[in-house]
């Protein structure tokens, strides 16, 4: 998986304990809080809500009993809608959160679920039929993670997390038809794209790696997403560009280089074509938030 974060704003207290790789945390729920990139997975359960959650620049209003699964590298911003008393900047009791590191479970270890799949279940808010069951399980896991470390404690925490994730999978299957040939082709393409987008935006390269034709990839992409294979590639590159511009202090030129653009002007033209904004105009939207991105700086070289 490519590097997803570069000098990013981190959510405080949101790193799982290294000995277990899973634990509880407090996410930054604050008026005008900065957009950040999580370096781990986060299961966020809204308790007293409502909570306004932006994930990859899409806003969701999550009421009480709503679960959201945030993936590593996604741009996130939390806020509480409406007025509140002065000085009430952080209300961390609005959500219960479990975080866990990527790669904690081996491939196919959990039936019907690949936890590191960015298009897995609950990527949009999931209203739970039994939120108190999830709340109790998440509170219990967080309490155990705060206890003494050890081999047995680690195994217990992994079993608790696996049960939570499988409950989520039962409630939200994701909607893909595993028996559909085009769905399977697109899934292979999408997984390869996650590794390859910083180095190649050519559909031909992905088709060659997957031993199929460009036409096959395009047909599969149109069937699953309504977008051509080239549009899917450009969408992924543009998303990563927005993440880095919104939540890191990298210069525009550095963001472009990370994403394979040799010249800043080429990156600027690509970004404007995809978003109708220049990189500077897009970044300016996030500069006024407390702790937000500072003004544009010159490239290091």
């Amino acid at each position: 998986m490519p590097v997803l974060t570069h000098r990013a704003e981190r959510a405080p207290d949101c790193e799982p304990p290294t000995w277990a790789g899973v634990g509880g945390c407090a996410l930054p729920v604050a008026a005008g809080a900065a957009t950040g990139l999580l370096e781990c997975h986060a299961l966020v359960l809204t308790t007293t809500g409502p909570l306004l959650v932006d994930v990859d620049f899409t806003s969701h209003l999550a009421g009480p009993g709503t679960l959201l699964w945030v993936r590593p590298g996604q741009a996130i911003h939390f806020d509480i809608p409406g007025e509140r008393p002065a000085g009430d900047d952080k209300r961390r009791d609005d959500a219960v959160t479990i975080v866990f590191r990527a790669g904690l479970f081996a491939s196919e270890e959990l039936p019907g679920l690949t936890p590191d799949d960015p298009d897995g279940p609950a990527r949009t808010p999931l209203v739970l039929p039994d939120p108190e069951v999830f709340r109790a399980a998440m509170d219990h896991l967080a309490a155990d993670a705060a206890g003494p470390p050890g081999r047995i404690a680690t195994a217990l925490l992994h079993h608790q997390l696996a049960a939570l994730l499988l409950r989520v999978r039962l409630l939200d299957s994701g909607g893909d038809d595993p028996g559909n040939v085009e769905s399977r082709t697109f899934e292979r393409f999408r997984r390869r794209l996650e590794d390859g987008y910083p180095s190649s935006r050519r559909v031909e390269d992905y088709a060659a790696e997957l031993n199929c034709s460009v036409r096959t990839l395009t047909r599969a992409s149109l069937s699953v997403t309504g977008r051509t294979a080239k549009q899917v590639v450009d969408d992924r590159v543009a998303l990563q560009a927005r993440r880095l511009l919104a939540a890191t202090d990298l210069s525009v030129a550095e963001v472009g280089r990370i994403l394979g653009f040799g010249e800043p002007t080429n990156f600027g033209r690509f970004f404007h074509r995809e978003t109708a904004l220049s990189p500077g105009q897009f970044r300016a939207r996030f500069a006024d938030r407390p702790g937000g991105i500072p003004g544009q700086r010159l490239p290091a070289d």
Side-chain angles (χ1 to χ4, degrees):
M1 181 178 290
V3 176
L4 294 174
T5 56
H6 305 263
R7 294 196 293 279
E9 294 288 333
R10 288 193 182 186
D13 306 320
C14 282
E15 290 296 318
T18 55
W19 63 272
V22 56
C25 85
L27 287 171
V29 179
T35 296
L37 303 180
L38 278 186
E39 295 186 2
C40 55
H41 292 269
L43 294 175
V44 184
L45 173 61
T46 305
T47 55
T48 59
L51 188 65
L52 188 63
V53 185
D54 288 351
V55 180
D56 278 342
F57 316 103
T58 298
S59 294
H60 308 282
L61 185 61
T66 301
L67 184 77
L68 182 68
W69 185 342
V70 184
R71 269 69 178 183
Q74 287 187 315
I76 59 170
H77 170 242
F78 297 90
D79 203 352
I80 301 170
E83 298 293 331
R84 81 193 83 162
D88 184 20
D89 289 331
K90 295 185 183 294
R91 286 171 48 193
R92 296 178 183 266
D93 59 343
D94 283 76
V96 176
T97 304
I98 296 298
V99 291
F100 61 99
R101 69 169 183 263
L104 197 63
F105 296 101
S107 177
E108 304 302 325
E109 185 174 351
L110 303 181
L113 177 64
T114 304
D116 291 332
D117 183 357
D119 280 345
R123 60 187 182 275
T124 58
L126 179 64
V127 179
L128 300 175
D130 50 359
E132 290 306 315
V133 171
F134 274 81
R135 172 69 186 268
M138 293 170 75
D139 284 343
H140 198 170
L141 191 157
D144 287 343
R151 182 171 59 90
I152 295 176
T154 298
L156 174 62
L157 288 169
H158 289 189
H159 279 295
Q160 289 174 306
L161 177 61
L164 270 173
L165 299 182
L166 290 172
R167 283 184 181 273
V168 174
R169 178 63 176 80
L170 284 173
L171 293 172
D172 185 1
S173 64
D176 290 338
D177 178 8
N180 185 291
V181 173
E182 291 178 339
S183 294
R184 293 200 302 269
T185 298
F186 180 77
E187 178 65 14
R188 294 172 59 220
F189 171 40
R190 184 181 59 76
R191 290 180 183 274
R192 182 64 195 95
L193 179 60
E194 279 299 307
D195 290 328
Y197 72 84
S199 57
S200 177
R201 300 189 305 280
R202 287 168 36 90
V203 177
E204 293 85 352
D205 293 340
Y206 296 101
E209 291 184 31
L210 297 174
N211 196 28
C212 66
S213 67
V214 170
R215 179 177 295 180
T216 295
L217 283 188
T218 296
R219 183 169 59 246
S221 298
L222 285 170
S223 174
V224 174
T225 71
R227 306 278 284 171
T228 68
K230 176 57 176 171
Q231 288 172 326
V232 169
V233 173
D234 288 345
D235 288 345
R236 183 62 184 89
V237 175
L239 171 59
Q240 194 65 18
R242 288 187 291 161
R243 288 172 173 175
L244 296 177
L245 289 169
T248 78
D249 64 353
L250 292 167
S251 72
V252 171
E254 287 173 317
V255 172
R257 282 199 294 270
I258 287 169
L259 296 175
F261 294 88
E263 296 294 332
T265 52
N266 292 339
F267 172 61
R269 282 196 293 267
F270 167 85
F271 191 84
H272 189 275
R273 187 190 75 204
E274 295 298 311
T275 68
L277 295 170
S278 71
Q281 288 172 328
F282 179 81
R283 168 166 277 173
R285 295 182 169 187
F286 302 87
D288 294 335
R289 289 177 176 172
I293 303 304
Q296 178 65 43
R297 61 184 178 84
L298 296 175
D301 55 352

